Amino acid sequence: MKKTSTRLADGRELIYYDLRDDTVRDAEDRRPLEPTVTTSEVRRDPLLGDAVAVASHRQGRTYHPPADECPLCPTRGERLSEIPDSSYDVVVFENRFPSLAGDSGRCEVVCFTSDHDASFADLGPEQARLVLEAWTDRTSELSHLPSVEQVFCFENRGAEIGVTLGHPHGQIYAYPFTTPRTALMLRSLAAHKEATGGENLFDTVLERELAGERVVLAGEHWVAFVPYAAHWPYEVHLYPRRRVPDLPALDEAARTEFPQIYLELLRRFDRIFGDGEPPTPYIAAWHQAPFGTLEGFDGVTRHDFALHLELFTIRRTSGKLKFLAGSESGMSVFINDVPPERAAERLREVASS
């Protein structure tokens, strides 16, 4: 992998990740852009104790442009985009309309491929591995920023999810705090460790799932399963068998096997609802340990946390979406329409050829 860092016309950083070591990236951004102005602010909710990012400047972000005006495609002739070069393998750049910026963190865009009509599931193993390396590198680099406490790599796929750009891409949020969902996991981890005299909750969950009926895929280094208390109609958790706190801690064997397992999982997601159905909308979310000492979680260190990916769709059956209505949105109590055991069975049935 070759990494080349450059700057866009408004000063934002852009990084090329190339498969070939001899690739030269010297194209300049020819757009007449003014410096980016953001109004991001993080506010704490005194009752719930969580954080809300207020970012009014995002109202003006690009919204469903036609394919020939996609800002994530390479620059071609006078058709100028966010990527100055005429081709690329994988690109990461600072978001022009970030939810978090400055002392409030950082937001980046990850373009998985220059092919506008592809999806992550269409990537070859080498390209998928390159995306993994980009995620890993950005996690490592962002961890050194003084304002960053946790890094979240994720992909939103599909208009139903709220995606405003059709090009295959994901995002990276670098938060200045530990996110509420991670804090819940850490509290459960600490309580279980104390109650069992040192047992790791993530290890226990993985052992129980491996012995049960909800495993979807199992490789030598990765395991994918539908969790016992799945929140979403089709939800899969992907864990490395060897517990590590974050992407940089993965060993070479796990990195090598990851594309095979993950690509198969995504292709099965597109087959859940049968042939002729539109691509399955989904969110793919990497959960990584926060950086530094974990104050407030007695007896737990970041190495007790288990890196894992959660993949889920909001489609509950053909042509129908799972909406977060009263119980889910008002009280955070999910009601799942699909039994997790049936979801796992369906995902095993649709193995790609």
Side-chain angles (χ1 to χ4, degrees):
M1 179 192 78
K2 182 180 180 181
K3 175 183 174 183
T4 306
S5 179
T6 185
R7 291 282 172 180
L8 296 173
D10 56 8
R12 289 175 295 131
E13 184 178 19
L14 179 142
I15 306 165
Y16 295 97
Y17 293 89
D18 286 295
L19 293 168
R20 293 173 55 98
D21 290 336
D22 59 352
T23 303
V24 176
R25 298 295 185 186
D26 56 8
E28 295 184 3
D29 185 1
R30 294 181 281 130
R31 297 173 298 169
L33 297 180
E34 296 293 329
T36 301
V37 177
T38 63
T39 57
S40 297
E41 175 188 2
V42 174
R43 298 185 180 184
R44 292 279 180 178
D45 184 319
L47 295 180
L48 298 179
D50 58 9
V52 176
V54 180
S56 59
H57 63 277
R58 285 175 53 80
Q59 287 282 30
R61 65 188 185 273
T62 308
Y63 187 79
H64 293 298
D68 61 356
E69 296 179 15
C70 175
L72 306 185
C73 288
T75 288
R76 301 282 169 80
E78 295 307 308
R79 163 70 180 87
L80 308 180
S81 76
E82 288 278 68
I83 296 90
D85 218 324
S86 60
S87 66
Y88 64 83
D89 291 337
V90 173
V91 165
V92 177
F93 61 87
E94 289 184 75
N95 197 323
R96 191 176 178 187
F97 304 96
S99 301
L100 306 166
D103 292 340
S104 296
R106 175 161 160 148
C107 292
E108 300 181 339
V109 177
V110 184
C111 298
F112 304 140
T113 172
S114 61
D115 184 353
H116 180 86
D117 297 317
S119 68
F120 201 118
D122 296 324
L123 303 183
E126 189 177 34
Q127 185 77 7
R129 169 67 185 262
L130 185 61
V131 175
L132 175 64
E133 295 306 322
W135 285 330
T136 302
D137 180 71
R138 296 315 301 153
T139 296
S140 179
E141 291 293 321
L142 292 168
S143 72
H144 297 300
L145 296 181
S147 64
V148 173
E149 190 168 316
Q150 186 176 5
V151 174
F152 175 45
C153 306
F154 64 100
E155 179 191 2
N156 297 330
R157 193 259 197 132
E160 300 94 328
I161 295 292
V163 175
T164 57
L165 295 175
H167 195 103
H169 73 288
Q171 299 182 64
I172 300 174
Y173 276 23
Y175 297 102
F177 51 80
T178 296
T179 62
R181 191 173 177 85
T182 302
L184 285 173
M185 294 183 198
L186 291 172
R187 283 198 286 273
S188 296
L189 187 63
H192 185 81
K193 189 173 186 178
E194 182 179 5
T196 60
E199 186 178 287
N200 185 281
L201 179 58
F202 286 109
D203 293 349
T204 299
V205 167
L206 185 56
E207 289 170 7
R208 289 174 179 171
E209 293 294 354
L210 281 169
E213 58 181 315
R214 290 179 298 275
V215 173
V216 176
L217 283 169
E220 184 178 354
H221 303 284
W222 293 88
V223 178
F225 58 88
V226 177
Y228 170 74
H231 289 59
W232 299 92
Y234 291 91
E235 174 183 341
V236 177
H237 293 191
L238 178 63
Y239 277 67
R241 288 181 183 265
R242 183 178 72 89
R243 172 166 45 88
V244 295
D246 53 25
L247 289 165
L250 288 172
D251 60 23
E252 180 60 26
R255 294 180 184 282
T256 299
E257 188 182 71
F258 171 75
Q260 171 190 343
I261 297 291
Y262 188 50
L263 291 172
E264 172 66 15
L265 192 56
L266 291 179
R267 290 163 186 164
R268 291 191 188 193
F269 250 59
D270 272 344
R271 294 169 180 235
I272 293 173
F273 304 106
D275 295 334
E277 287 290 316
T280 302
Y282 64 73
I283 292 175
W286 281 108
H287 291 266
Q288 306 191 80
F291 303 109
T293 58
L294 303 181
E295 297 181 6
F297 306 102
D298 293 341
V300 171
T301 72
R302 70 184 310 270
H303 294 284
D304 291 315
F305 194 87
L307 167 77
H308 61 285
L309 180 140
E310 297 184 7
L311 173 69
F312 61 89
T313 179
I314 63 170
R315 187 178 292 164
R316 57 187 174 88
T317 189
S318 180
K320 297 179 181 179
L321 301 180
K322 165 65 177 177
F323 292 101
L324 300 189
S327 185
E328 291 90 352
S329 295
M331 284 292 160
S332 294
V333 178
F334 275 68
I335 301 169
N336 193 347
D337 304 289
V338 180
E341 293 73 23
R342 174 54 190 147
E345 181 182 18
R346 178 59 181 160
L347 284 162
R348 289 193 297 268
E349 290 173 350
V350 293
S352 63
S353 56

